[in-house]
Amino acid sequence: MDKVYIFDTTLRDGEQSPGATLNTEEKVEIARQLARLGVDIIEAGFPASSPGDLDAVQRVARQVEGPTICALARCIMSDIDAAWEGVKDAPRRRIHTFISTSDIHLEYQLRMTREQVIQRARECVAHARSYVEDVEFSPMDASRSDPEFLYQVLAVAIEEGATTLNIPDTVGYIMPAEFGALIRGIRQNVPGIEKAIISVHCHNDLGLATANSLAGVLEGARQVECTINGLGERAGNASLEEIVMALYTRRQYYGLTTDIKTTELYPTSRMVSNYTGLGVQANKAIVGANAFAHESGIHQDGILKYRQTYEIMDARTVGLAQSTMVLGKHSGRHAFSDRLEQMGYHLESDQLNRAFARFKELADKKKTVTERDIEAIISDEVFQPVEVYSLEHVQVSCGDHAIATATVSLRAPGGNIITDAAHGTGPVDAVYKAINRIVGEANELIEFSVKAVTEGIDAVGEVTIRIEAEADGDDRFPLNPQTGHRTRVFSGHGASTDIVVASAKAYMSALNKLLAVKSPSRVTA
Ligand code: KIV
Ligand code: ZN
């Protein structure tokens, strides 16, 4: 069967999701997981946008084996030089350069004529080609561009040696039938098109990113640009898991294949959600909590009689384990680590030790430890930033006739244990205030959510929070017109059978990111 290349842009377009900031270590971890997942190309970042992005791309290029590592560049010589600096150490590397082709972008944003755009595309593809053999070119806002002009620009890119031509629906405007026709038109009208792979890059503003991408595939596109959990600018990009599972589930219809190891989809989704702090909506296709849950009596009856009556995919295919885990407090380290491997988690030995210790602690409190509990432990122990301050101890006293009071002990960077106490409107508020008295880093809690991982009174609680801190002078963060300040957002998550402890852990996770990240300006594509 013909292969569709999966180009993952979670670390570049995905990171442009509002609030989804990832630090370099998290990017490298995600890239390693994407390699396990089997993606063909990882777009690791946009090196010209900031020294931090360049560093992250370089680290991915040096440390992640398997996929081609790609860096984004505007059609600007210095951007292409920076992209080369980013990817040059990767065994397989690509430069992806783009320029807008729609009249609206030319007139209002670039202030360039069509001739100037053609000339710039020519020079920049040639420049990228002087560094690497694998060059991708994107006419930004292609779906709103004059097709005749688009054909001309694409032909020039091919003449200069572009090997992949990516057609973005930058603003998520086009309809599936129109997008299919656009790809068909490109195949029929662009001289030399048979020398290049056609790629699609669809945004989800009207909820059509997956449908549009697949319409492009039906017309001959053989690369799809997508992100884990559909992250991306505004409403996001096409979701990788949806694209892959549509091609897999309907393989008879498409007659196409990918190299994705589908059982890694769910663990990858969890990792990205944990690191970005962006939860996955419960009804999200493939990886949402309800994607394989049957509520209606009629459906449940059908499922019990014959699964396929209401299920088109087997949950195990996407890496979702189905049964309650039969691990309890007598289970050993070996059984635990075997189970983790089956669930798609591949931990280093010290991570495994920490997760196992937490599992034992939990097994003492809970009769049955489910796979969802295990996932919560892993998120809490493994998917965490490097600690500047660490939580040693938390204690609260509260009630309907009491003033909530918290005492917190943190281990400070030098190793000292610092203890302080505070009152608050409730236990979590008191804990956060006590932590603030010790750490002294101004920020505002802007989001707090708590959910039970499983049913039952002894369930593990998972807390996800977002905090906002001032980032004046750093123009990659939005200016709040009301306050006149720029702000940046950090997410954190924590898990425990005690939700006050989970809340304290979530706050420490976000605060540690805030304390660690101090990087200069960058722009995004
Ligand atoms: O959406 C878009 O047009 C992009 C380009 C940089 C490919 O992300
Ligand atoms: Zn995009």
Side-chain angles (χ1 to χ4, degrees):
M1 275 200 277
D2 213 356
K3 170 174 165 173
V4 174
Y5 288 85
I6 298 297
F7 176 111
D8 181 276
T9 182
T10 307
L11 299 179
R12 199 278 299 168
D13 219 326
E15 212 222 355
Q16 289 176 216
S17 298
T21 43
L22 292 165
N23 63 37
T24 305
E25 287 70 33
E26 290 167 340
K27 286 185 182 178
V28 173
E29 275 310 305
I30 291 176
R32 286 208 177 100
Q33 179 58 28
L34 291 171
R36 267 185 224 115
L37 178 63
V39 308
D40 299 287
I41 303 110
I42 295 176
E43 187 164 56
F46 181 10
S49 67
S50 74
D53 242 48
L54 171 60
D55 178 50
V57 174
Q58 284 174 329
R59 299 253 313 260
V60 170
R62 288 171 193 155
Q63 295 176 25
V64 178
E65 283 170 27
T68 296
I69 307 301
C70 172
L72 185 69
R74 288 167 296 191
C75 266
I76 295 178
M77 295 297 177
S78 55
D79 269 35
I80 292 168
D81 297 337
W84 166 243
E85 283 307 313
V87 297
K88 69 180 180 195
D89 294 334
R92 274 185 280 206
R93 56 233 174 163
R94 173 181 295 188
I95 294 177
H96 174 193
T97 186
F98 71 96
I99 189 164
S100 290
T101 48
S102 65
D103 288 336
I104 188 168
H105 280 210
L106 263 61
E107 184 176 344
Y108 295 102
Q109 191 182 17
L110 297 182
R111 297 182 201 288
M112 287 170 80
T113 62
R114 288 184 174 192
E115 290 66 35
Q116 287 169 326
V117 167
I118 290 194
Q119 185 54 24
R120 183 75 75 78
R122 184 183 289 290
E123 288 162 7
C124 287
V125 171
H127 188 50
R129 201 47 218 260
S130 72
Y131 285 127
V132 287
E133 286 187 357
D134 187 347
V135 172
E136 173 170 330
F137 173 74
S138 290
M140 197 185 213
D141 206 16
S143 54
R144 292 193 302 167
S145 303
D146 169 7
E148 294 302 326
F149 177 55
L150 193 60
Y151 302 154
Q152 276 181 357
V153 182
L154 294 173
V156 164
I158 294 173
E159 265 169 45
E160 297 304 327
T163 41
T164 301
L165 296 179
N166 179 44
I167 311 303
D169 179 26
T170 303
V171 291
Y173 175 75
I174 208 161
M175 296 290 122
E178 291 175 313
F179 197 56
L182 180 66
I183 302 298
R184 196 179 325 129
I186 289 169
R187 286 186 75 196
Q188 287 167 352
N189 295 293
V190 176
I193 193 70
E194 63 294 338
K195 291 188 241 161
I197 289 184
I198 300 178
S199 164
V200 288
H201 176 114
C202 298
H203 279 270
N204 205 29
D205 299 66
L206 293 172
L208 292 169
T210 299
N212 283 336
S213 307
L214 292 172
V217 166
L218 281 176
E219 291 295 342
R222 287 295 173 266
Q223 174 177 289
V224 177
E225 302 203 351
C226 43
T227 56
I228 300 296
N229 299 338
L231 293 182
E233 186 78 26
R234 304 180 312 281
N237 288 65
S239 142
L240 183 147
E241 51 280 5
E242 291 173 17
I243 299 286
V244 166
M245 288 311 290
L247 292 174
Y248 175 79
T249 308
R250 300 300 309 277
R251 52 196 177 277
Q252 252 89 32
Y253 176 72
Y254 287 101
L256 295 167
T257 174
T258 70
D259 283 347
I260 296 296
K261 194 171 167 202
T262 58
T263 49
E264 294 288 344
L265 286 170
Y266 184 69
T268 314
S269 162
R270 286 279 301 179
M271 178 190 268
V272 169
S273 169
N274 279 316
Y275 281 156
T276 56
L278 295 177
V280 176
Q281 77 199 52
N283 60 330
K284 164 86 178 63
I286 319 295
V287 289
N290 294 349
F292 293 90
H294 300 275
E295 179 73 19
S296 131
I298 297 174
H299 289 213
Q300 287 175 351
D301 175 60
I303 286 282
L304 289 173
K305 288 176 176 148
Y306 184 57
R307 278 212 95 77
Q308 276 96 319
T309 49
Y310 287 95
E311 239 174 50
I312 58 164
M313 292 170 276
D314 183 335
R316 284 167 300 192
T317 317
V318 304
L320 246 173
Q322 275 190 320
S323 55
T324 299
M325 192 174 184
V326 277
L327 281 185
K329 63 179 176 183
H330 301 298
S331 307
R333 196 173 182 281
H334 193 180
F336 179 72
S337 86
D338 266 5
R339 193 66 204 161
L340 288 186
E341 283 290 327
Q342 282 168 29
M343 288 165 69
Y345 293 105
H346 318 277
L347 305 191
E348 309 280 329
S349 127
D350 63 321
Q351 295 175 325
L352 182 63
N353 290 343
R354 278 186 282 129
F356 185 61
R358 283 289 298 278
F359 158 70
K360 282 286 181 186
E361 227 176 82
L362 186 63
D364 270 339
K365 294 185 186 152
K366 279 190 97 212
K367 253 202 258 143
T368 25
V369 178
T370 66
E371 291 182 343
R372 287 289 292 116
D373 291 320
I374 299 287
E375 276 168 351
I377 292 175
I378 292 172
S379 304
D380 191 46
E381 281 301 325
V382 181
F383 302 150
Q384 290 290 8
V386 174
E387 288 185 318
V388 181
Y389 283 86
S390 58
L391 183 70
E392 286 288 315
H393 169 78
V394 56
Q395 187 185 329
V396 290
S397 117
C398 60
D400 59 353
H401 293 298
I403 296 174
T405 312
T407 306
V408 169
S409 299
L410 301 184
R411 184 177 294 275
N416 285 349
I417 306 282
I418 309 175
T419 301
D420 213 326
H423 299 305
T425 51
V428 174
D429 186 43
V431 168
Y432 284 21
K433 284 188 172 134
I435 292 175
N436 286 345
R437 285 173 64 91
I438 301 173
V439 178
E441 188 68 46
N443 70 83
E444 198 189 328
L445 180 70
I446 53 168
E447 209 177 295
F448 177 93
S449 77
V450 56
K451 72 169 195 251
V453 166
T454 47
E455 290 115 42
I457 197 71
D458 58 355
V460 171
E462 241 179 346
V463 173
T464 304
I465 66 155
R466 275 172 195 286
I467 58 173
E468 194 172 47
E470 256 179 40
D472 283 339
D474 195 339
D475 62 9
R476 69 180 159 139
F477 298 104
L479 185 69
N480 181 332
Q482 265 136 30
T483 60
H485 290 294
R486 288 182 194 279
T487 52
R488 64 200 301 183
V489 174
F490 298 89
S491 64
H493 61 92
S496 169
T497 45
D498 181 324
I499 58 162
V500 176
V501 175
S503 306
K505 288 179 166 197
Y507 190 42
M508 291 313 299
S509 148
L511 259 184
N512 278 322
K513 289 185 191 170
L514 162 58
L515 293 168
V517 180
K518 305 258 188 245
S519 55
S521 319
R522 64 165 204 181
V523 287
T524 45

